[in-house]
């Protein structure tokens, strides 16, 4: 591992100032992804700024309703928070579907957003990778593409974003609060991550020196139900092959009043399914409508050599999730264990 210097920041503002004063600086919180990449040589910071003790570790009611979540709240704490479990079940389910219990106890909310792709070519220093070394080429595109993107990829990169949490945040219309040298700004969670285009080395819209400070979740629509479903190779500790988060609210006559749908593991970022949502709102909530809406969204898919299966897999995940959310809630006594 390349030698680096280290300091512990005492406030968010001091962390941002420290970043500006040091070349090749990185922020470090839980470190569950960054330290792994440093061991592999993929990341080689010259200076680490520990931002784990900045007081950004609370979950509180946001002005006007909703929740404001500090960037240093641990994933396990956020999943277990009563307000998250009660009002944002898709977020709790997505958090619990990600990583292992040990990792969730250490990983932070901000770090989860900023984790980098698990593309094996990105992590292999002997393989050309435009994300790791711009202009070197994309080994994945002509290599093993089973886990790669089917939506929004480019000739320069076909990697997917690995976060489960970010998919739920996109469906909930969450916002990301950033603190940087020029002050504070807010970005929609669905627009925080980028498609690769011709600059795949940039995963997000973060500007140099900006620190993720908070996430804000708006109050959910009245009567909405939400959930997260994930398809993967094994039941625990595996990244998604396809996943979906949805927030659905129906009128009394069964018409869709509000629909938000996001896919994971299909693109370089969580994929907000705007086309599907347009089909859903104002129509009757049934399996045919859900299938038609999801098909309209996935018509834009461009599978690679090994991953055409992702399209019907994502379709099945999303249609099943929406169908479940549209069903009348079961009385507690008849509810299956764990539901």
């Amino acid at each position: 591992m390349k030698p680096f210097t280290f300091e512990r920041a005492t406030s968010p503002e001091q962390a941002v100032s420290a970043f500006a004063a040091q070349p090749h600086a990185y922020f470090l919180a839980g470190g569950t992804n960054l330290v792994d990449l440093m061991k592999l040589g993929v990341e080689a910071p010259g200076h680490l700024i520990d931002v784990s003790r900045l007081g950004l570790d609370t979950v509180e009611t946001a002005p006007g309703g909703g929740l404001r979540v500090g960037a240093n709240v641990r994933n396990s704490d956020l999943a277990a928070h009563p307000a998250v479990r009660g009002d944002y079940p898709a977020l709790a389910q997505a958090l619990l579907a990600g990583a292992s219990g040990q990792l969730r106890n250490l990983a932070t909310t901000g770090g989860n957003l900023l984790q980098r792709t698990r593309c094996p070519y990105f992590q292999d220093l002997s393989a050309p990778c435009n994300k790791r070394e711009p202009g070197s080429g994309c080994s994945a595109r002509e290599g093993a593409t089973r886990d790669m993107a089917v939506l929004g990829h480019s000739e320069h990169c076909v990697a997917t974003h690995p976060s489960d949490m970010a998919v739920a945040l996109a469906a909930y219309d969450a916002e990301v609060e950033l603190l940087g040298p020029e002050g504070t700004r807010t970005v929609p969670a669905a627009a925080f991550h980028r498609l690769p285009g011709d600059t795949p080395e940039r995963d997000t819209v973060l500007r140099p020196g900006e620190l993720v400070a908070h996430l804000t979740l708006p109050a959910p629509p009245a009567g909405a139900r939400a959930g997260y479903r994930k398809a993967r190779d094994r039941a625990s500790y595996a990244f998604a092959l396809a996943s979906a988060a949805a927030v659905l609210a129906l009128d009394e006559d069964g018409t869709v009043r509000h629909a938000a749908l996001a896919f994971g593991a299909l693109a370089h970022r969580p994929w907000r399914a705007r086309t599907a949502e347009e089909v859903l709102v104002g129509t009757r909530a049934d399996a045919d409508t859900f299938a038609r809406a999801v098909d309209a969204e996935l018509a834009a898919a461009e599978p690679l050599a090994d991953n055409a299966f992702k399209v019907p897999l994502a379709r099945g995940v999303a249609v099943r999730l929406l169908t479940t959310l549209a069903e009348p809630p079961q009385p507690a006594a008849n509810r299956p264990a764990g539901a």
Side-chain angles (χ1 to χ4, degrees):
M1 187 183 295
K2 177 185 173 183
F4 57 86
T5 54
F6 176 89
E7 71 176 290
R8 178 164 289 149
T10 56
S11 71
E13 293 76 14
Q14 192 264 324
V16 171
S17 296
F19 190 101
Q22 291 282 352
H24 308 299
Y26 281 55
F27 294 126
L28 173 71
T32 56
N33 184 215
L34 176 59
V35 173
D36 281 349
L37 294 177
M38 290 171 64
K39 291 176 180 176
L40 293 170
V42 175
E43 301 282 13
H47 185 68
L48 283 181
I49 303 168
D50 183 349
V51 295
S52 64
R53 303 183 186 185
L54 303 183
L56 304 173
D57 55 359
T58 60
V59 180
E60 55 192 6
T61 302
L67 284 185
R68 190 168 188 249
V69 180
N72 285 340
V73 174
R74 304 292 173 175
N75 286 182
S76 53
D77 292 337
L78 187 60
H81 194 282
V84 174
R85 294 178 61 188
D87 296 334
Y88 304 93
L91 177 57
Q93 293 165 17
L95 285 162
L96 293 174
S100 65
Q102 293 92 334
L103 286 171
R104 292 195 295 269
N105 287 339
L106 190 60
T108 64
T109 305
N112 190 313
L113 275 182
L114 296 174
Q115 62 182 303
R116 306 210 66 186
T117 181
R118 262 57 176 187
C119 174
Y121 302 100
F122 173 70
Q123 298 180 341
D124 180 358
L125 297 185
S126 68
C129 172
N130 288 321
K131 178 176 284 295
R132 174 169 33 78
E133 186 177 346
S136 63
C138 176
S139 300
R141 192 165 187 87
E142 302 302 326
T145 58
R146 179 176 184 269
D147 296 334
M148 303 303 167
V150 296
L151 289 166
H153 53 74
S154 76
E155 63 177 307
H156 303 289
C157 183
V158 294
T160 57
H161 184 69
S163 172
D164 296 288
M165 182 194 77
V167 181
L169 292 178
Y172 276 122
D173 290 316
E175 293 186 330
V176 185
E177 182 182 312
L178 306 172
L179 177 64
E182 299 175 353
T184 300
R185 67 184 179 111
T186 301
V187 177
F192 180 72
H193 298 95
R194 301 176 66 257
L195 292 179
D198 57 2
T199 55
E201 71 277 12
R202 294 182 57 207
D203 292 342
T204 71
V205 298
L206 270 176
R207 297 168 182 164
E210 282 188 323
L211 175 73
V212 176
H214 292 92
L215 305 175
T216 300
L217 292 125
R225 300 182 68 193
Y228 179 78
R229 293 179 70 91
K230 175 178 179 178
R232 47 188 164 180
D233 283 327
R234 59 178 187 269
S236 71
Y237 202 13
F239 294 100
L241 293 168
S243 67
V247 182
L248 192 68
L250 308 181
D251 288 332
E252 291 184 359
D253 64 356
T255 300
V256 177
R257 171 167 38 89
H258 173 91
L261 177 65
F263 287 106
L266 301 188
H268 199 255
R269 69 182 186 193
W271 188 271
R272 183 68 184 263
R274 304 287 186 186
T275 299
E277 293 168 7
E278 290 180 6
V279 173
L280 288 170
V281 174
T283 57
R284 184 163 184 80
D286 57 36
D288 289 342
T289 298
F290 298 147
R292 182 161 52 86
V294 173
D295 285 344
E297 186 69 41
L298 295 177
E302 297 180 290
L304 303 168
D306 306 323
N307 67 1
F309 75 96
K310 278 192 166 190
V311 178
L313 182 63
R315 181 185 192 273
V317 167
V319 171
R320 179 58 186 154
L321 173 60
L322 291 165
T323 302
T324 300
L325 296 178
E327 294 172 347
Q330 298 183 45
N334 299 327
R335 190 176 301 157

